[in-house]
Amino acid sequence: MSAEQPGPTTSGPATFVNSFTLRTSPEMFEEIFARTARFLEDRPGFLGYTLVRHVDEPDRYVNIARWSDPAAFRAAVTDAGFAPHAQALRAVSTSSSNLYVERRSVTAEPR
């Protein structure tokens, strides 16, 4: 098992968590989300993301995106090229989001 705890709460890797409730089909949402993800993948500081769909409520999704630091995330979403992507997502879903800085991370070792 490994653990890591960075210093000040405003530096270090950042995790953006965004919950979506759809007003469209899952297929349409995933297509729009994929275009948004391709845009963000090219931004400096982008580390990766995981999009998950609720098991029992197929109109609910959560995106967990990892960034090198909060400043990189903020620069990406304030880039003028991001606005059309944000508008497209808002047209087909409602969302709630927050940005977090890692405080502790544990990875299980293979047994």
Side-chain angles (χ1 to χ4, degrees), residues 3 5 12 14 20 22 38 41 46 50 52 58 62 66 76-77 86-87 93 95 97 106:
Q5 190 171 8
F20 296 94
L22 307 188
R38 281 191 296 275
E41 288 168 9
F46 177 82
T50 301
V52 295
V62 174
R66 294 163 307 284
V77 298
Q87 290 169 345
S93 65
S95 68
S97 60
V106 176

Coordinates of all heavy atoms in Angstrom, one line a residue, residues 3 5 12 14 20 22 38 41 46 50 52 58 62 66 76-77 86-87 93 95 97 106:
A3 N 0.8 5.7 0.1 CA 0.1 6.8 0.5 C 0.9 8.1 0.2 O 2.1 8.1 0.4 CB -0.4 6.8 1.9
Q5 N 0.7 12.5 0.6 CA -0.1 13.7 1.1 C 0.7 14.9 0.8 O 1.7 15.2 1.3 CB -0.2 13.5 2.7 CG -1.2 14.6 3.2 CD -1.5 14.3 4.7 OE1 -0.9 13.5 5.3 NE2 -2.4 15.1 5.2
G12 N -0.5 20.9 -6.2 CA -0.5 19.5 -6.4 C -1.6 19.0 -7.3 O -2.4 19.8 -7.8
A14 N -5.0 17.9 -9.0 CA -6.4 18.3 -8.7 C -7.3 17.3 -9.4 O -7.0 16.7 -10.4 CB -6.6 19.7 -9.3
F20 N -23.7 14.5 -13.6 CA -24.7 14.8 -14.6 C -26.0 14.1 -14.5 O -26.0 12.9 -14.2 CB -24.1 14.5 -16.0 CG -22.9 15.2 -16.4 CD1 -21.7 14.6 -16.2 CD2 -23.0 16.5 -17.0 CE1 -20.5 15.3 -16.6 CE2 -21.8 17.1 -17.4 CZ -20.6 16.5 -17.2
L22 N -29.2 13.5 -17.1 CA -29.5 13.7 -18.5 C -30.9 14.2 -18.8 O -31.8 13.8 -18.1 CB -29.2 12.4 -19.3 CG -27.9 11.7 -19.1 CD1 -27.7 10.6 -20.1 CD2 -26.7 12.7 -19.2
R38 N -12.2 15.2 -25.9 CA -11.1 15.4 -26.8 C -10.5 16.8 -26.8 O -9.3 16.9 -26.9 CB -11.6 15.0 -28.2 CG -11.7 13.5 -28.5 CD -11.9 13.2 -30.0 NE -13.2 13.7 -30.5 CZ -14.4 13.0 -30.4 NH1 -14.4 11.9 -29.7 NH2 -15.5 13.5 -30.9
E41 N -8.4 17.0 -23.5 CA -7.2 16.1 -23.6 C -6.0 16.8 -24.1 O -4.8 16.4 -23.8 CB -7.5 14.8 -24.4 CG -8.4 13.9 -23.7 CD -8.9 12.8 -24.7 OE1 -8.4 12.7 -25.8 OE2 -9.8 12.0 -24.2
F46 N -3.6 18.3 -18.3 CA -4.6 17.2 -18.3 C -3.9 15.9 -18.1 O -3.0 15.6 -18.8 CB -5.4 17.2 -19.6 CG -6.4 16.1 -19.7 CD1 -7.6 16.2 -19.1 CD2 -6.1 14.9 -20.3 CE1 -8.6 15.2 -19.2 CE2 -7.0 13.9 -20.4 CZ -8.3 14.0 -19.8
T50 N -12.3 9.6 -16.0 CA -13.1 8.4 -16.0 C -14.5 8.9 -15.9 O -14.9 9.7 -15.1 CB -12.8 7.6 -14.7 OG1 -11.4 7.2 -14.7 CG2 -13.7 6.3 -14.7
V52 N -18.3 7.5 -15.5 CA -19.0 6.4 -15.0 C -20.5 6.7 -15.1 O -21.0 7.8 -15.0 CB -18.6 6.0 -13.6 CG1 -17.2 5.5 -13.6 CG2 -18.8 7.1 -12.6
P58 N -29.9 5.0 -15.3 CA -29.0 5.2 -16.5 C -29.0 6.7 -17.0 O -28.2 6.9 -17.9 CB -29.7 4.3 -17.5 CG -31.1 4.0 -17.0 CD -31.0 4.1 -15.5
V62 N -21.2 10.4 -13.7 CA -20.2 11.1 -12.9 C -18.9 11.1 -13.7 O -18.5 10.0 -14.2 CB -20.0 10.6 -11.5 CG1 -18.8 11.3 -10.8 CG2 -21.2 10.7 -10.7
R66 N -8.7 14.2 -13.8 CA -7.4 14.5 -13.1 C -6.6 15.5 -13.8 O -6.4 15.4 -15.0 CB -6.7 13.2 -12.8 CG -7.5 12.2 -11.9 CD -7.0 10.8 -11.9 NE -6.9 10.2 -13.3 CZ -8.0 9.7 -14.0 NH1 -9.2 9.9 -13.5 NH2 -7.8 9.1 -15.1
A76 N -7.9 25.6 -18.6 CA -8.6 24.8 -19.7 C -10.0 25.2 -19.8 O -10.5 25.4 -20.9 CB -8.5 23.3 -19.4
V77 N -10.7 25.4 -18.7 CA -12.2 25.7 -18.8 C -12.5 27.2 -19.0 O -13.6 27.5 -19.3 CB -12.9 25.1 -17.5 CG1 -12.8 23.6 -17.5 CG2 -12.5 25.8 -16.2
A86 N -19.1 23.5 -23.2 CA -19.9 23.6 -22.0 C -21.3 23.9 -22.3 O -22.2 23.3 -21.7 CB -19.3 24.8 -21.1
Q87 N -21.6 24.7 -23.3 CA -23.0 25.0 -23.8 C -23.7 23.7 -24.2 O -24.8 23.5 -23.9 CB -23.0 26.0 -24.8 CG -22.6 27.4 -24.3 CD -22.4 28.4 -25.5 OE1 -22.2 28.0 -26.6 NE2 -22.3 29.7 -25.1
S93 N -28.1 18.2 -20.3 CA -28.0 17.7 -18.9 C -27.9 18.9 -17.9 O -27.6 20.0 -18.3 CB -26.7 16.9 -18.8 OG -25.5 17.7 -18.9
S95 N -25.9 19.7 -14.2 CA -24.7 19.1 -13.6 C -24.4 19.9 -12.3 O -24.8 21.0 -12.1 CB -23.5 19.2 -14.5 OG -23.1 20.5 -14.8
S97 N -20.7 20.4 -10.0 CA -19.3 20.1 -10.0 C -18.5 20.8 -8.9 O -18.9 21.8 -8.4 CB -18.8 20.5 -11.4 OG -18.9 21.9 -11.6
V106 N -4.4 6.0 -1.8 CA -4.0 4.7 -1.5 C -4.2 3.8 -2.7 O -5.3 3.9 -3.3 CB -4.8 4.1 -0.3 CG1 -4.4 2.7 0.0 CG2 -4.5 5.0 1.0

